[in-house]
Amino acid sequence: MAQGPYSEKVMDHFMHPRNMGEIEDPSGVGEVGNPACGDVMRLYLKIENDTIIDAKFKTFGCGAAIASSSMTTELIKGKSIDEALAISNEAVAEALGGLPPAKQHCSVLAEEALQAALEDYKKKQQEGK
Amino acid sequence: MAQGPYSEKVMDHFMHPRNMGEIEDPSGVGEVGNPACGDVMRLYLKIENDTIIDAKFKTFGCGAAIASSSMTTELIKGKSIDEALAISNEAVAEALGGLPPAKQHCSVLAEEALQAALEDYKKKQQEGK
Amino acid sequence: MWYYICLMKRIYFDHASTTPVDPRVLEAMRPYFSELFGNPSSVLIEEGAEPRKALDEARLKVGRLLNAEADEIIFTASATESNNLAIKGLALANRNRGNRILFSDIEHYSVMNQADFLKSLGFEVDYVRVDPYGLVDMEDLERKAKPGTLLVSVMMANLEIGTIEPIREIGLLLKSRGILLHSDGAGACGQIPVDVRDLPVDSMTVSAHQFYGPKGAAALYLKKGVPLRPVMQGGYQEMGYRAGTENVPAIVGLGEASRIAAEEMALRVENLTALGRRLWGGIEKEIDYLHFTGHPTRRLPGHVSFWIEFVEGESLLLWLNLNGIASVSGSACASNVLAADETGLKASHVLTAVGVPPEICHGSIAFSLGPENTEAEVDFTLSTLPEIVGKLREMSPLYRKTLL
Amino acid sequence: MWYYICLMKRIYFDHASTTPVDPRVLEAMRPYFSELFGNPSSVLIEEGAEPRKALDEARLKVGRLLNAEADEIIFTASATESNNLAIKGLALANRNRGNRILFSDIEHYSVMNQADFLKSLGFEVDYVRVDPYGLVDMEDLERKAKPGTLLVSVMMANLEIGTIEPIREIGLLLKSRGILLHSDGAGACGQIPVDVRDLPVDSMTVSAHQFYGPKGAAALYLKKGVPLRPVMQGGYQEMGYRAGTENVPAIVGLGEASRIAAEEMALRVENLTALGRRLWGGIEKEIDYLHFTGHPTRRLPGHVSFWIEFVEGESLLLWLNLNGIASVSGSACASNVLAADETGLKASHVLTAVGVPPEICHGSIAFSLGPENTEAEVDFTLSTLPEIVGKLREMSPLYRKTLL
Ligand SMILES: Cc1ncc(COP(=O)(O)O)c(C=O)c1O
Ligand SMILES: Cc1ncc(COP(=O)(O)O)c(C=O)c1O
């Protein structure tokens, strides 16, 4: 059976997205969008003791965008904030078994959503102090 | 069986040329050539009492040139000089069941050869007087 | 992960992209590959005679489909080539008529993307607007078809939104102003009646692989007496308009597909219209926040296109595919996933032209049905679509059930 | 009158014009007409996946035939199109290198006839002479490849006279001067070894139907990094170099023909060389006032071409045909019997270029053999030819037995 442009991993995460949904009362939320492509990605984090104990996402976007969101939540769960911040878009794409060149930006979007969510968390922390 | 560009009549005269050869001591000979195409046609006439009693040809040329030569000799045999002069290239082409547009000039060549041969005959007649 | 779908019979609703070769067409082509393989230009040898005859017959058949004379049909290798030959060829051969060329806003890339090349040759290119249904805006055309205009290109039917253009009306206007009209009939010729004696067009593109003929064969109808300059030079084939050894089997296939299309068109149109209505009606009933694109009635039979709020097109396309249904999306992301980079990812110019806002036109899907499709397939699709839409909306951060 | 020949098995000695599709090639193509018919650009649906894979594989196979990378292969619909794409496309994309384009004097029409179009785009076109064997005159090339020259086109092998050009030598000279080289490899690629890593060419045309592949498929090798501007605009296929839905079955056929050619070439060349020598030697012995054309050894295997004094080419061709032998003539009359008028009837520019006087080059005939030809066919031809020549000379007013 011939493959489409997406790896099996991408299709797996597209068909069975992990951690899809919302977190009530999240520690941080990040929403980013790419107007050129129309993708919008929202990432929810639950953080305790500097550790991401839960992550969920909602994404409006193509197969690569959904898979990148799903994979990102998987990659960051259980990680410390610093470890999570070190996760690059390349790492997301790699974990997905690669993305077509025209779709690399979807993994960038995921990285940006993560950063925005952590930003939001830090802001909330400071406000809370 | 599909046809080539030539009619069956043309192919018949090409394969079985009528009156091919030379006439010894002819009443008139005409030779014409088309340098663009490389055809050369020579027509021999035997004329008695203003009537073409024999005609022969030699032709270096394509299928249409050979068929036009052959057909011309057939058409003029037994005709009076005036009748022969009235035979146009269209008549030759028509008698052959038509010629492809690019090959019309071959029938023109035949007409010219005939005219040249009759010219030659007249000249000889005048010289003979 | 993709392979489980192999077990199901696929539902092919993407006839606008390409169609399978009709078995009768393949049968007609078969002898010309290895037996009657001769070069049709080799007319003086036996081997060239049958292929030459086959070309002549194919030309007659395509002519009959369009109500054109055989010698008004030029064979090419693709609709793209026909469009390039027509537009560049007419422009270059008719410069005396003017310098201005008009394209409708919803032409196919094989017309649209010629603009830069034409400009580099010194032509001016302008665009004619369409209304929200995708119909050429006649007032805009009247305004823009001003003196100095030499050529207008308006397609017969748009395969993304299904709309059939008022070519007759357009042609009459242009004729009165001495302006040439090319019409890209790919996907229309062979599907709906097209009569070039009735339509005032100077040229018309025909594409075999969009009506059960083979890929690699297309035609350009060129009205007798209209000057055209060839854009590909070489040997003297196709009356001098298109050089290159003729692709005999493919051309034979185009001829046979034309014959079949002419004979079976009335029945096909009837069936496809009914199937299309069933699909349209069902979708309308099942899905909210849905917008059909194109004209509701002046459209290709069996063509249903729409976009859905809060649903991205590629994801919808992928899920339909996973459920065994082949369709196409005008979504930016779906349109060029193989491009070398993301600069190709623009929202469809067709959808933007009919007024779909670029940021929400990513949900566009077109279903284009063919004569082998069935009511059962339509019904299966209708039963599947709501579930997929629900799943994707569930995932969308933009969607709030409470808002609806 | 033609039909009696049907009863005989034909002797096909015109492989230079076109070849039958190899049954293995047709077998490889078969699934892509009606089953795996999808559009290879529809990568997001199941139907596009296999055709896409098939394209990729064909690209690899053609690459392997030429020792090129797969992504250096652009598929087109014909050698004519490849030559047009290469020459116009290189010229337009590399104007910074100069304005002058050189063609050898014996290029195919699909190169030659671009001259006017190129001039209309502002380029200057000049011609490089060949020697009496048809080999490019290196001194003339050195002289004419002066500063301001951007592109030279010299074919790999000429199919009218069989000569194989010294492309390596030509390429090295041009490379040292920073001039691009296109080579038309139609009729050479797939027949003789062609290694683009060894040959300093920037582009090379490959034609499927001249080595047992299908009509409608060809390729252009384009060396990595060399800028090329597409001449036909449309969708984003073939890495942006050639728009239009890919003709998948034909491309699959080209791929399979390339695989077979690569594998069987050594044996084919050996057999064809032997058959060609037998034919050459026999003709030399049997016919007087005969002149071979092209180079005696640097020539396509199995290719024998000549002209005969006092024998017109078309008549010879017709008689050979009536005797069951298919050949081709460079005779003016034979070359374009289907033309609309006689302006097309010029002596072959190739024969004039190698010094055959126009008024006597009408006797030219080329036999091009293929792997299915046999010694018996060669011998039959040798037994037939003298009789035909005798008959035609007998008819010629130019021939005097006494003079010989
Ligand atoms: C050397 C050469 N180049 C190009 C061509 C053009 O090939 P096609 O007519 O298949 O486009 C030919 C055709 O005979 C040829 O011999
Ligand atoms: C309206 C229209 N014109 C032209 C084309 C180009 O056809 P091809 O890719 O077969 O050259 C298409 C292709 O989908 C089309 O839809």
Side-chain angles (χ1 to χ4, degrees):
Chain A
M1 190 69 258
Q3 282 266 187
Y6 290 135
S7 68
E8 294 209 356
K9 268 267 175 54
V10 170
M11 287 310 294
D12 181 29
H13 278 260
F14 172 72
M15 289 161 66
H16 312 287
R18 328 291 203 259
N19 310 305
M20 202 281 288
E22 303 181 7
I23 294 178
E24 299 217 358
D25 192 23
S27 318
V29 180
E31 181 172 311
V32 293
N34 179 337
C37 185
D39 294 341
V40 181
M41 210 179 273
R42 188 183 296 153
L43 188 66
Y44 303 82
L45 301 179
K46 190 90 196 167
I47 299 176
E48 274 177 19
N49 298 329
D50 229 41
T51 300
I52 300 172
I53 58 163
D54 199 9
K56 288 203 181 287
F57 78 93
K58 284 219 162 184
T59 291
F60 170 88
C62 63
I66 289 171
S68 295
S69 313
S70 167
M71 179 53 85
T72 301
T73 59
E74 285 279 276
L75 287 177
I76 60 176
K77 270 167 78 171
K79 292 268 190 330
S80 73
I81 291 179
D82 285 350
E83 282 169 338
L85 275 172
I87 293 172
S88 66
N89 75 301
E90 286 94 349
V92 174
E94 204 189 302
L96 285 169
L99 286 174
K103 297 291 192 167
Q104 290 297 341
H105 70 277
C106 293
S107 60
V108 174
L109 209 62
E111 186 189 322
E112 288 170 0
L114 174 59
Q115 278 161 354
L118 289 170
E119 206 67 41
D120 182 52
Y121 165 70
K122 284 183 191 157
K123 217 174 78 199
K124 277 186 186 149
Q125 286 291 90
Q126 274 161 349
E127 281 165 3
K129 269 178 193 162
Chain B
M1 192 68 262
Q3 283 267 188
Y6 289 135
S7 68
E8 294 209 357
K9 268 269 176 51
V10 170
M11 286 309 295
D12 181 29
H13 278 260
F14 172 72
M15 289 162 65
H16 312 287
R18 327 292 203 258
N19 310 306
M20 201 279 290
E22 305 182 6
I23 294 177
E24 300 218 356
D25 191 22
S27 318
V29 180
E31 182 171 311
V32 293
N34 178 337
C37 185
D39 293 341
V40 181
M41 210 178 272
R42 189 185 296 152
L43 190 65
Y44 302 84
L45 302 178
K46 190 90 198 166
I47 299 176
E48 275 177 18
N49 298 328
D50 229 42
T51 301
I52 299 173
I53 59 162
D54 200 9
K56 288 203 179 289
F57 78 93
K58 282 219 162 184
T59 291
F60 169 88
C62 63
I66 289 170
S68 295
S69 312
S70 167
M71 180 53 85
T72 301
T73 58
E74 285 277 278
L75 288 176
I76 60 176
K77 270 167 76 170
K79 293 268 189 334
S80 74
I81 291 180
D82 285 350
E83 282 169 341
L85 276 172
I87 293 173
S88 66
N89 74 302
E90 286 94 349
V92 174
E94 203 188 301
L96 285 169
L99 285 174
K103 296 291 192 169
Q104 291 295 340
H105 69 278
C106 294
S107 61
V108 174
L109 208 62
E111 185 188 323
E112 288 169 359
L114 174 60
Q115 279 161 353
L118 290 170
E119 206 68 40
D120 181 53
Y121 165 71
K122 285 182 189 158
K123 217 175 79 201
K124 276 187 186 149
Q125 288 289 90
Q126 273 162 349
E127 280 163 6
K129 268 175 193 160
Chain C
M1 274 292 117
W2 290 43
Y3 34 90
Y4 78 90
I5 53 170
C6 236
L7 306 174
M8 317 189 335
K9 193 184 162 300
R10 298 278 296 171
I11 297 178
Y12 190 67
F13 280 1
D14 192 19
H15 292 78
S17 289
T18 193
T19 57
V21 175
D22 185 309
R24 293 168 289 179
V25 169
L26 188 56
E27 203 45 45
M29 294 167 66
R30 203 180 299 268
Y32 296 93
F33 290 105
S34 305
E35 292 110 57
L36 304 172
F37 67 88
N39 191 321
S41 294
S42 306
V43 288
L44 294 169
I45 57 174
E46 200 47 41
E47 282 77 2
E50 284 284 343
R52 161 67 45 191
K53 213 175 89 186
L55 282 188
D56 292 346
E57 259 165 42
R59 214 181 294 281
L60 274 170
K61 288 176 180 174
V62 178
R64 254 178 244 135
L65 176 68
L66 304 178
N67 196 18
E69 301 288 322
D71 61 0
E72 293 177 314
I73 302 298
I74 303 166
F75 291 122
T76 70
S78 65
T80 297
E81 188 190 336
S82 289
N83 283 337
N84 274 265
L85 172 58
I87 292 174
K88 294 197 184 77
L90 288 173
L92 289 169
N94 296 281
R95 275 201 127 129
N96 58 318
R97 288 168 183 257
N99 205 40
R100 235 170 104 73
I101 299 171
L102 299 178
F103 294 161
S104 93
D105 259 345
I106 59 168
E107 296 300 292
H108 184 258
Y109 294 112
S110 54
V111 171
M112 279 300 182
N113 290 348
Q114 293 188 60
D116 283 346
F117 198 93
L118 291 166
K119 286 178 200 159
S120 79
L121 293 174
F123 295 97
E124 186 194 324
V125 180
D126 201 355
Y127 300 88
V128 182
R129 278 205 296 273
V130 296
D131 72 12
Y133 292 127
L135 292 170
V136 160
D137 178 337
M138 292 302 290
E139 277 178 30
D140 198 46
L141 179 64
E142 291 223 22
R143 208 165 28 242
K144 287 179 176 153
K146 58 191 183 194
T149 305
L150 89 95
L151 173 66
V152 175
S153 182
V154 178
M155 66 206 320
M156 269 302 296
N158 184 292
L159 297 181
E160 216 168 317
I161 58 172
T163 301
I164 299 172
E165 296 297 332
I167 294 298
R168 189 153 194 280
E169 214 178 325
I170 294 169
L172 290 176
L173 167 67
L174 297 177
K175 205 169 178 179
S176 75
R177 300 191 181 181
I179 300 170
L180 296 169
L181 173 59
H182 168 67
S183 184
D184 174 2
C189 296
Q191 284 202 266
I192 54 171
V194 171
D195 179 342
V196 294
R197 288 282 155 272
D198 180 52
L199 294 174
V201 294
D202 296 285
S203 61
M204 167 84 69
T205 291
V206 181
S207 175
H209 77 88
Q210 284 166 320
F211 63 101
Y212 305 93
K215 295 176 180 64
L220 183 70
Y221 157 77
L222 177 69
K223 194 197 188 113
K224 214 166 278 183
V226 175
L228 180 87
R229 185 162 152 195
V231 290
M232 207 160 77
Q233 292 84 36
Y236 187 89
Q237 285 95 354
E238 295 299 310
M239 302 153 277
Y241 290 121
R242 200 269 183 178
T245 300
E246 299 89 342
N247 185 353
V248 181
I251 291 171
V252 166
L254 167 55
E256 185 63 3
S258 299
R259 184 193 65 75
I260 294 171
E263 276 175 23
E264 303 183 355
M265 188 175 293
L267 190 63
R268 283 188 190 172
V269 167
E270 195 185 314
N271 291 341
L272 282 176
T273 306
L275 275 186
R277 287 229 180 93
R278 189 183 185 95
L279 185 56
W280 181 296
I283 290 173
E284 193 165 32
K285 213 180 93 205
E286 299 288 347
I287 316 283
D288 55 7
Y289 289 78
L290 178 132
H291 308 261
F292 289 103
T293 56
H295 198 279
T297 55
R298 298 174 68 156
R299 58 189 299 111
L300 289 170
H303 188 290
V304 178
S305 56
F306 52 86
W307 59 278
I308 306 179
E309 293 184 43
F310 315 113
V311 176
E312 196 273 340
E314 186 193 291
S315 290
L316 180 50
L317 181 80
L318 286 170
W319 271 115
L320 285 166
N321 178 60
L322 289 167
N323 283 278
I325 303 161
S327 66
V328 72
S329 167
S331 150
C333 277
S335 64
N336 223 335
V337 74
L338 284 187
D341 55 49
E342 59 197 84
T343 55
L345 300 178
K346 283 178 296 184
S348 155
H349 67 280
V350 176
L351 296 176
T352 348
V354 294
V356 182
E359 67 285 4
I360 53 166
C361 76
H362 298 284
S364 115
I365 285 282
F367 291 131
S368 45
L369 278 54
E372 79 280 12
N373 290 134
T374 62
E375 287 195 357
E377 290 176 327
V378 167
D379 294 345
F380 176 80
T381 304
L382 288 172
S383 76
T384 306
L385 192 60
E387 192 194 324
I388 298 175
V389 168
K391 179 156 42 193
L392 288 170
R393 281 186 174 162
E394 191 59 44
M395 291 178 70
S396 169
L398 310 171
Y399 184 73
R400 290 269 177 283
K401 268 209 195 78
T402 50
L403 279 185
L404 298 180
Chain D
M1 275 288 118
W2 291 42
Y3 34 88
Y4 77 90
I5 53 170
C6 236
L7 306 173
M8 317 190 333
K9 192 183 163 299
R10 298 279 296 171
I11 297 178
Y12 190 68
F13 279 1
D14 192 19
H15 292 79
S17 290
T18 194
T19 57
V21 175
D22 185 309
R24 293 168 288 179
V25 169
L26 188 56
E27 203 45 45
M29 294 167 65
R30 202 181 302 267
Y32 296 93
F33 290 106
S34 305
E35 292 109 57
L36 304 173
F37 68 87
N39 191 322
S41 294
S42 305
V43 288
L44 294 169
I45 57 173
E46 201 46 41
E47 282 76 3
E50 284 286 343
R52 162 67 45 190
K53 213 175 88 186
L55 281 188
D56 291 346
E57 260 165 42
R59 213 180 295 281
L60 274 169
K61 288 176 179 176
V62 178
R64 253 178 244 136
L65 176 67
L66 304 178
N67 197 17
E69 301 289 321
D71 62 359
E72 293 177 315
I73 303 298
I74 302 166
F75 291 122
T76 70
S78 65
T80 297
E81 189 190 336
S82 290
N83 283 337
N84 275 264
L85 173 58
I87 293 174
K88 294 198 185 77
L90 289 172
L92 289 169
N94 296 279
R95 275 202 127 129
N96 57 319
R97 287 169 183 256
N99 205 38
R100 236 170 103 72
I101 299 172
L102 300 178
F103 294 161
S104 93
D105 258 346
I106 59 168
E107 294 301 291
H108 184 257
Y109 294 112
S110 55
V111 172
M112 281 298 182
N113 289 348
Q114 293 188 60
D116 283 347
F117 199 92
L118 291 166
K119 287 178 200 160
S120 80
L121 294 175
F123 295 98
E124 187 194 324
V125 179
D126 202 355
Y127 301 89
V128 182
R129 279 207 295 272
V130 296
D131 73 11
Y133 292 126
L135 291 170
V136 159
D137 178 336
M138 292 301 292
E139 278 178 30
D140 198 44
L141 178 64
E142 290 224 22
R143 211 167 21 245
K144 286 179 177 153
K146 59 190 182 194
T149 306
L150 89 97
L151 172 67
V152 175
S153 182
V154 178
M155 66 206 322
M156 270 301 297
N158 184 292
L159 298 181
E160 216 168 316
I161 58 172
T163 301
I164 299 173
E165 297 297 332
I167 294 297
R168 190 154 191 279
E169 215 177 324
I170 293 169
L172 290 175
L173 167 68
L174 296 177
K175 205 169 178 179
S176 75
R177 301 191 181 183
I179 299 170
L180 296 168
L181 173 60
H182 168 67
S183 184
D184 174 1
C189 296
Q191 284 202 264
I192 54 171
V194 172
D195 179 342
V196 294
R197 289 282 157 271
D198 180 51
L199 294 174
V201 294
D202 296 285
S203 60
M204 167 84 69
T205 291
V206 182
S207 175
H209 77 87
Q210 282 166 320
F211 62 102
Y212 305 92
K215 295 175 180 64
L220 182 70
Y221 157 78
L222 177 69
K223 193 196 188 114
K224 213 167 279 183
V226 175
L228 180 88
R229 184 162 152 193
V231 290
M232 207 160 77
Q233 292 85 36
Y236 186 89
Q237 286 95 353
E238 294 300 310
M239 301 153 278
Y241 290 121
R242 200 269 183 178
T245 299
E246 300 89 344
N247 185 352
V248 181
I251 290 171
V252 166
L254 168 54
E256 185 63 2
S258 299
R259 183 194 65 73
I260 294 170
E263 276 175 25
E264 301 182 356
M265 187 175 293
L267 190 64
R268 282 188 189 173
V269 167
E270 195 186 312
N271 291 341
L272 282 176
T273 305
L275 274 187
R277 287 227 181 95
R278 188 183 186 96
L279 185 56
W280 181 296
I283 291 172
E284 193 165 31
K285 214 180 90 204
E286 299 288 348
I287 316 282
D288 55 6
Y289 289 79
L290 177 132
H291 308 260
F292 289 104
T293 56
H295 197 280
T297 55
R298 298 175 67 156
R299 58 188 299 110
L300 290 170
H303 188 289
V304 177
S305 55
F306 52 85
W307 59 278
I308 306 179
E309 293 186 43
F310 315 114
V311 175
E312 196 273 339
E314 187 194 290
S315 289
L316 180 50
L317 180 80
L318 287 170
W319 270 115
L320 284 166
N321 177 59
L322 290 167
N323 282 278
I325 302 160
S327 66
V328 71
S329 167
S331 149
C333 277
S335 63
N336 223 334
V337 71
L338 285 187
D341 55 50
E342 57 198 85
T343 55
L345 299 179
K346 282 178 295 182
S348 154
H349 67 281
V350 176
L351 296 175
T352 351
V354 295
V356 182
E359 66 286 5
I360 53 166
C361 75
H362 298 286
S364 116
I365 285 282
F367 291 131
S368 45
L369 279 54
E372 78 281 11
N373 290 135
T374 61
E375 287 195 357
E377 290 176 326
V378 167
D379 294 345
F380 176 81
T381 305
L382 288 172
S383 75
T384 306
L385 191 60
E387 193 194 323
I388 298 174
V389 168
K391 180 157 42 193
L392 288 171
R393 281 186 174 162
E394 192 58 45
M395 292 178 71
S396 171
L398 310 171
Y399 183 73
R400 290 272 175 280
K401 268 210 194 75
T402 50
L403 280 184
L404 297 185

